[in-house]
Amino acid sequence: MAAQSQPARLQSGGLIDRARPLEFQFDGRKMTGYAGDTLASALVANGVTLTGRSFKYHRPRGVLTAGSEEPNALVELRGGSRREPNTKATTVELFAGLEARSQNRWPSLTFDALSVNSLFAPLLVAGFYYKTFMWPAAFWEKLYEPLIRKAAGLGRASGLPDPDTYEKAFAFCDVLVIGGGPTGLMAALTACRAGARVILCDEDFGFGGRLLSETFEIAGISGASWVGETVAELAESANVTLMRRTTVFGVYDTGTYGALERVGDHLPTHVPHQPRQRLWKIVAKRAVLAAGAIERPIVFGGNDRPGAVMAAAVRSYVNRYAAVPGRRIAVFTNNDDGWKTVADCAAAGIPVEAVIDPRANLPEGLRNLADRAGATLFAGGRVLDAYGVSSGLQAIDVETAGGSIVTLNADCLAMSGGWNPALALTTHLGSRPVWRPDIHAFVASAPPPGLEVAGAANGSLALAACLAEGAAEGAKAAEAAGFSASMPAIPAVGADPTGMMPLWKVERSRTKAFVDFQNDVTAKDIAISESEGYRSVEHLKRYTALGMATDQGKTANVNALAIMAALTGKSIPETGVTTFRPPYTPVAIAAFAGHHRGKHFRPTRLTPSHLWAAEQGAPFVETGQWLRAQWYPRPGETDWLVSVSREVNATRSGVGVCDVSTLGKIDIMGADAGAFLDRVYINTFSTLAIGKVRYGVMLREDGIVMDDGTTARLADHHYYMSTTTVNAAKVMQHLEFCHQVLWPELDVQLASATEQWAQFAIAGPNARDTLRGLIDPEFDISNEALPYMGATTLTICGGLPARLFRISFSGELAYEIAVPAGYGDGLIRAIMSVGAPFGVTPYGTEALGVMRIEKGHAAGNELNGTITAADLGLGRMMSTKKDYIGRVMAERPGLADPERPRLVGFKPVDRAQRLRAGAHFLPLGAKAVAANDEGFMTSVAFSPSLNHWIGLGYLKNGASRLGERVRAHDPVRGLEFEVEICDPIFIDPKGERLRV
Amino acid sequence: MSDLALKPLSAFRGHLAFTGMSEASGAGVTLEVRDDLAMAIVIARKGRLAALAENVCQTYGIDLPAGPKRVAAGSLAFIGTGPGQFLAVEQGGDALTFASRLAGALGDAASISDQSASRAVLRVSGPRVRGVLAKGLAIDLHPSVFRPGDAALSSIALIGAHLWQLDERPTYEISVFRSLAGSFAEFIWSSAAEYGVTIDNP
Amino acid sequence: MRIPCPYCGERDIHEFAYLGDATVSRPDPARNDAVQAFYEYVYLRDNPAGSFQELWYHAAGCHSWLVVTRDTRTHAIFGARLASREAS
Amino acid sequence: MQYSAFSLLKNALTGHRHWQPAWRDSEPRSQYDVVIVGGGGHGLATAYYLAKVHGVKNIAVLEKSYIGSGNVGRNTTIVRSNYLLPGNIPFYEWSMKLWEGLEQDLNYNAMVSQRGVLNLIHSDTQRDAYARRANAMRLHGVDSVLLDKDEVRKMVPFLNYENARFPIQGGMLQPRGGTVRHDAVAWGYARAGDQRGVDIIQNCEVTGFRISNGKMMGVETTRGYIGAGKVGLAVAGNTSRVATIAGLRLPIESHVLQAFVSEGIKPLIPNVITFGAGHFYISQSDKGGLVFGGDIDGYNSYAQRGNLPTLEDVCEGGMALMPMIGRIRLLRQWGGIMDMSMDGSPIIDKTPIDGLYLNAGWCYGGFKATPASGWCFAHLIARDSPHEFAAAYRMDRFRTGHMIDEKGQGAQPNLH
């Protein structure tokens, strides 16, 4: 029977579904829980107290809380590539077949070899590693560090690619309500009734917050019933989006909130087409933070012992999950709220051994409650130390009001040191919380713009105040978002006393008293930190690792501050507070990536001839976001160089064709288009004749080359610019800047035409003959009618409009023909067909690169953002008759220095030698030291035309050293040989082939 | 040589043939490729916006929108894309002559750049379409905020996108650069799959 | 962060490209001290902590250059206008 | 008190009751020989080397908050000297050398871990550029290795080799690069400086400069006037703010750089890895957290925090490169204010005000520079002439056109 297998499950009660038992495993042990359980509550129900080991001392730890602030009960969930380390058992919704393992222990949880660390604890205090491991120096990396790394680190990642999918999505609303407890429900309800678009998020799988865990009555019905009615009304409202299992983890600028929805984490198996998690970016006009409060532990000896549980968590386990965390419970509380645990345990028939409350004068009601529960009351008492074995607590030492010490048997100690409002989100934009002495807690001072805090998150701990504040802030938010809201009736609730007396640390404890449970920071560590001068709260945090664990110190920080304040004699507000950072609870890295991983990391741009090129078996290369055909292998060609050389030879001797559509193309129109180009290019374009093309270079305003390309004048008021592939967007942005910001008075219109035109280079002696097969007969493309650097519009293939430019990157007789991009696929097939008699050969980016190097054209490797026009040998293009972008700054001595490296060509002296880009140039016989570095090789290619390797590069005084030799120094490849400096134009230096 | 008469290739060719596609009844999203749209960018010349508006109104009976709106008459629509800038869209006309027809009609009040081939347009509609687009688009498409006739230039899943709403079903047309049609189709598919997808034309 | 584009409306920051200080303006290259003036224009910045006028380009939107007024300490945005003095 | 295993043991036996403060919390005196403004890594290192190397006696470090509150405690802890340009390489290599002996010099374990820095290569153009860089490093005597794809795969088999948008073609490795426990650098310099008499004055913000006839006299602070003939500024992201008080306008903008850390996990990533086709770099701390980052947020900011788009961009890069980190959770994101210079390289120079020295423009590379920055800045302040390794970091290089632009982005700080 299920009940037998769950020895610590109450026979009745709770919000679990006893009709739906769920099998699960922990450390290989098969157990049963119920739908509605968390992994933690199921473990509690099964009597499991030891759930993990701590970070540094490997101390045995059990469940401390019942929420996302849990520092102890971290497990590895699922298995294989879905293994998920450091998962809080308190937030895992139980599902059938769940597998969890404890972590940071070896060989087993009950016997952990590294628990010997506890024996060395006196040495492993705060900052110990800063003081040692320095000698011998080499030992740190070889010995000490690997040991430290291995011992630290909690759970194990799978090491395998995450197989699940993730999504990101945007949402918009008038009012975002963060937290679905009593405050949040009232806020959402009020805003909803006002007609505002409301999003209500709660990290839990059920709305209700503490109402699910307490025994409140609201308006005469149980809290859980009231939650059900309220959620039903919200669910029926079209203007409300309810998001369960959704944690708002961060506040960002301008009302943007990050939230994580756990879409499939509670499901046994993956649902097709559904993501595991979804990252929401919620843009909200207003937001209400109703995240509740987090109970703080009390710092005393052995307070980390499995069985020491937060008092409110005990109520969660008993009331919500009908699971009993102990058979002999003692309650240690400094506040009225903790007494609810006494009442609820008693009501559930769980023996309460003792109540220890440091307040000597307790109200009559509480004294009577202790009596009714049959508990021994220690008013004015404290728990000094808790003892037990690794599986749990066995006894506690209580210091009575009179100063004597009493030892009591208990297997569960419910502790409550008061409540800290969950204000983390209010500090994400930098505001600091303020101390409220009346409630002994920090509250938000200046929440982010548009966000208001309500209820327990605002320090209003009593239920009545939560309901009222929620309604008020919900109304305020709706009003601020432009709606007219009215306050609803606030349901009647009983009195809910919130008295407390601060107790930060129990003096005279004899054993280790933990402040930060997960990172094993003890009260002693804080004292050491203080004595060594690390007194600023930020120093304390960084020196001891306090608050740096997966819970960001939700249960630890305020206790630590109070202890530090006591040590320094300052007040808590003077001591200050550390800043919470997003995310509120840890978020899987994959969720932030969503769709954009693997092949979808960035969009892919395909050229007009992509389908055809793929049919030819071309490998593709990434050029920015584009994929371009690299070469077109023929059967039997196994080495890329063979294919590329064939393509070059075929082009230079016959005709080749290459898709150059990726080059940026910009229509520049308007009466002042020419004047505009004069200002952005170093050379002049206003004088360019219609039907002509000119090569241009544009600089940045700092005088450095930004981009180059050709621009054609198609009509009086219409120029057509081309840019390099990688700079297309950057140039467009630059031109828009020049037009809109610098010279708005010009009559210029700019439109990107990159995607409109499929553009192919047809190059080689047979280029014109090939083209003739495409061009409609009425057009004359003879050398006379369309000479080198001519441009025209015409029709091809029976009326298809096209643009034809007689320009050449290859140095051959060449054209670029452009047709509307949809026809690009047809055109490449047509070119291949009409060119077949001339041996037309497609060539890819590699052959393109070889031919441009043979012609000495600069490209990406040469245009590296530090090069001047003069460095490229284009100094004479820089007009002296006009202003243009970059002209003035290019005159600075550092850029005008004639000694600067210049672009020149290189040949290996031993012609069989392969050149490599990235080699540096040294004078012959000079030592290989930086002082002798004269430049470097930028681009190399095997020139099939010359039958040896050639290169381009920058060399100091290069232009005046043609014919000299230097050493190409390439130590990272182990190469060193002589090269000859030559003109960068290796082929047809006079350009005769261009003009035939 | 006119026997080579070329045919245009849809930018979505090869990209909307997903396997395992859910085409169950009550599909959340319907996709339709729009290869029948001719497009051109129309930019008012310096100081000529009023003249352009006058020309457009007289020639086409369309009041040029002052903001990101789509105003249609018959098969022609003008969509505001920026200050003094518009995308003219003609359905079913001759894309190859659209820009020159516009230029002829609008005279020297505007500069015109042919864009018929530069965009790939997908029509998306259905009850779950807003949920699909929210996975990549940072614009509020709630019916109280974004209505038929509204248009927006933005990006969807890192892909520059221009969308406009046609009706309250809702139906949107989304235009992306042609080279990105494949990545866009993959995103739409993976985002819509959980709701069920129907493709109206292959 | 969301930037109110005067043409498109409020948009997420990922649609925009940043340039920087909008208070510097390109000097007249014919000035006698043009080199100094351009040096200051290209390189020197007030870099204030507080209200700042800066140039953003609505790259994924209407392609307008905007002058946005923003507090560099809080990222609060006070407004945006088209950078072009004559928008049409 | 000398730190050692022995002193630790001794203190353990006496219940850790006898530890001394690592540095005195000094009250400001009325006059110092040198005042360093900024108690971050650079300022504290400068003070230490002024005292140790140059024998300067009366030094104060003024910090407006707590020491190490700026970028030295907010970075991703990477140290390397894999630079490209002659103005940079000797400086960063000197920094590497100082890191290598830092712990013994300071008697403070900053956990210098030379686990190697691997830059991945995704294209032929990138390979060419890295070959140029690796060779430039070798010419300066710096270790560098060019790896092919198989060698990278052997070293880090868990990267995405099969389904990458930008396939990995190889890598450049600097074996001596690695990580250092960042906070410990500030504390170690503070402690060592303090032992040589440096006054470390926290919660002391500079509000003005007293300048007479173009000569520095001293600084006004929130804790009163402090006289000093020499004042060095090392205030990183706040450089423009402080310089404005002194009447200086600089080629600097302030930008946010975010950093991220995951939950602690058992050792997974052995070295520092930089994605060459996205904005992502990562290492794993000794505590087990994955420490990673990417580009600056891209707009001027003095807010010490970041925004969501950059985080998404970085995680997209991470998932593109190493999909095994998908289920590991991000624990915290935070931001620091970078003093981004107009060419991406720092400034260590005198200013037009006699006795006012500037150390700024570190962009997002200030942490690795800490020892050499302190060393060279101390030299400049003590000798009034630049140290040879920092000779190129002149302020007038922008006027004369001698920029040191590793990325080739020009006067556009958010692109460096």
Side-chain angles (χ1 to χ4, degrees), chain A residues 668-674 713 716-719 747-749, chain B residues 45 111:
Chain A
I668 299 168
M669 301 165 288
D672 296 322
R713 189 168 195 177
D716 193 16
H717 293 170
H718 187 184
Y719 290 79
D747 179 26
V748 173
Q749 292 80 43
Chain B
R45 295 278 299 276
S111 289

Side-chain angles (χ1 to χ4, degrees), chain C residues 32-69:
Chain C
N32 283 336
D33 62 344
V35 172
Q36 176 67 22
F38 267 87
Y39 157 67
E40 293 182 11
Y41 165 64
V42 173
Y43 291 107
L44 297 190
R45 297 290 178 263
D46 287 339
N47 192 25
S51 183
F52 185 46
Q53 287 190 55
E54 54 195 8
L55 284 162
W56 291 81
Y57 177 59
H58 197 180
C62 62
H63 291 190
S64 293
W65 277 93
L66 312 180
V67 176
V68 176
T69 308

Side-chain angles (χ1 to χ4, degrees), chain D residues 165-198:
Chain D
R165 174 71 180 82
F166 298 99
I168 296 161
Q169 311 279 12
M172 188 189 83
L173 176 73
Q174 185 184 19
R176 285 163 64 243
T179 60
V180 180
R181 168 84 179 94
H182 54 4
D183 291 317
V185 174
W187 303 335
Y189 274 119
R191 177 169 167 272
D194 175 87
Q195 287 175 348
R196 286 183 154 78
V198 174

Side-chain angles (χ1 to χ4, degrees), chain D residues 134-260:
Chain D
N135 283 330
M137 291 164 65
R138 292 280 190 98
L139 280 168
H140 284 87
V142 183
D143 60 319
S144 65
V145 183
L146 204 60
L147 304 174
D148 65 23
K149 183 177 176 174
D150 289 339
E151 290 166 319
V152 171
R153 193 194 281 264
K154 207 169 155 196
M155 178 182 253
V156 279
F158 46 79
L159 301 184
N160 183 4
Y161 297 94
E162 312 309 329
N163 187 38
R165 174 71 180 82
F166 298 99
I168 296 161
Q169 311 279 12
M172 188 189 83
L173 176 73
Q174 185 184 19
R176 285 163 64 243
T179 60
V180 180
R181 168 84 179 94
H182 54 4
D183 291 317
V185 174
W187 303 335
Y189 274 119
R191 177 169 167 272
D194 175 87
Q195 287 175 348
R196 286 183 154 78
V198 174
D199 276 3
I200 293 165
I201 303 163
Q202 303 186 94
N203 301 308
C204 178
E205 183 171 3
V206 169
T207 54
F209 294 92
R210 207 173 280 181
I211 299 161
S212 173
N213 296 324
K215 192 172 170 2
M216 179 59 62
M217 307 303 292
V219 294
E220 311 281 356
T221 80
T222 49
R223 296 176 70 173
Y225 174 76
I226 300 172
K230 291 186 172 188
V231 173
L233 300 186
V235 296
N238 288 300
T239 296
S240 295
R241 282 213 268 206
V242 179
T244 300
I245 305 173
L248 302 177
R249 200 159 170 254
L250 299 174
I252 284 176
E253 290 181 3
S254 295
H255 287 257
V256 171
L257 179 69
Q258 298 193 61
F260 313 98

Side-chain angles (χ1 to χ4, degrees), chain A residues 215 315 331 338-349 352 369 372-373:
Chain A
T215 52
R315 299 200 294 281
V331 178
W339 281 82
K340 286 183 194 146
T341 304
V342 180
D344 292 358
C345 285
V352 180
L369 176 54
R372 284 203 306 279

Side-chain angles (χ1 to χ4, degrees), chain A residues 382-460:
Chain A
R382 279 140 229 266
V383 177
L384 282 184
D385 293 283
Y387 306 97
V389 292
S390 66
S391 63
L393 182 72
Q394 291 174 322
I396 54 174
D397 279 356
V398 177
E399 184 184 41
T400 66
S404 60
I405 293 173
V406 179
T407 300
L408 299 171
N409 289 332
D411 59 359
C412 174
L413 178 64
M415 59 178 159
S416 177
W419 291 84
N420 294 324
L423 50 74
L425 291 177
T426 70
T427 71
H428 284 181
L429 296 192
S431 89
R432 298 260 166 183
V434 292
W435 183 253
R436 250 182 69 186
D438 59 325
I439 59 167
H440 307 285
F442 283 101
V443 293
S445 58
L451 181 138
E452 297 292 345
V453 192
N458 193 37
S460 304

Side-chain angles (χ1 to χ4, degrees), chain A residues 337-601:
Chain A
D337 190 73
W339 281 82
K340 286 183 194 146
T341 304
V342 180
D344 292 358
C345 285
I350 304 160
V352 180
E353 293 289 311
V355 187
I356 304 98
D357 191 322
R359 297 176 290 180
N361 298 313
L362 287 170
E364 191 65 28
L366 296 182
R367 291 176 178 279
N368 291 342
L369 176 54
D371 278 349
R372 284 203 306 279
T376 312
L377 175 61
F378 294 91
R382 279 140 229 266
V383 177
L384 282 184
D385 293 283
Y387 306 97
V389 292
S390 66
S391 63
L393 182 72
Q394 291 174 322
I396 54 174
D397 279 356
V398 177
E399 184 184 41
T400 66
S404 60
I405 293 173
V406 179
T407 300
L408 299 171
N409 289 332
D411 59 359
C412 174
L413 178 64
M415 59 178 159
S416 177
W419 291 84
N420 294 324
L423 50 74
L425 291 177
T426 70
T427 71
H428 284 181
L429 296 192
S431 89
R432 298 260 166 183
V434 292
W435 183 253
R436 250 182 69 186
D438 59 325
I439 59 167
H440 307 285
F442 283 101
V443 293
S445 58
L451 181 138
E452 297 292 345
V453 192
N458 193 37
S460 304
L461 297 173
L463 179 59
C466 289
L467 295 168
E469 265 184 37
E473 290 302 340
K476 218 166 91 185
E479 296 265 0
F483 297 84
S484 146
S486 52
M487 281 289 283
I490 308 296
V493 295
D496 185 15
T498 56
M500 79 162 287
M501 181 191 89
L503 175 64
W504 306 111
K505 172 176 170 266
V506 175
E507 303 298 332
R508 292 188 293 284
S509 288
R510 284 158 301 192
T511 57
K512 271 197 174 21
F514 286 83
V515 181
D516 185 314
F517 288 76
Q518 193 177 125
N519 270 354
D520 281 342
V521 180
T522 64
K524 176 101 179 185
D525 288 323
I526 296 173
I528 292 173
S529 183
E530 193 277 335
S531 69
E532 294 196 72
Y534 303 92
R535 287 167 199 156
S536 149
V537 291
E538 289 286 349
H539 283 155
L540 169 66
K541 163 181 155 188
R542 290 151 186 270
Y543 196 61
T544 63
L546 172 103
M548 312 265 280
T550 64
D551 56 345
Q552 280 204 43
K554 288 187 179 72
T555 53
N557 288 352
V558 176
N559 283 344
L561 297 177
I563 293 168
M564 179 59 89
L567 288 166
T568 55
K570 289 181 176 173
S571 69
I572 291 174
E574 280 170 346
T575 303
V577 60
T578 57
T579 319
F580 287 106
R581 302 289 186 188
Y584 177 68
T585 51
V587 176
I589 289 170
F592 291 105
H595 177 73
H596 302 292
R597 55 186 281 195
K599 289 279 186 206
H600 301 299
F601 168 53

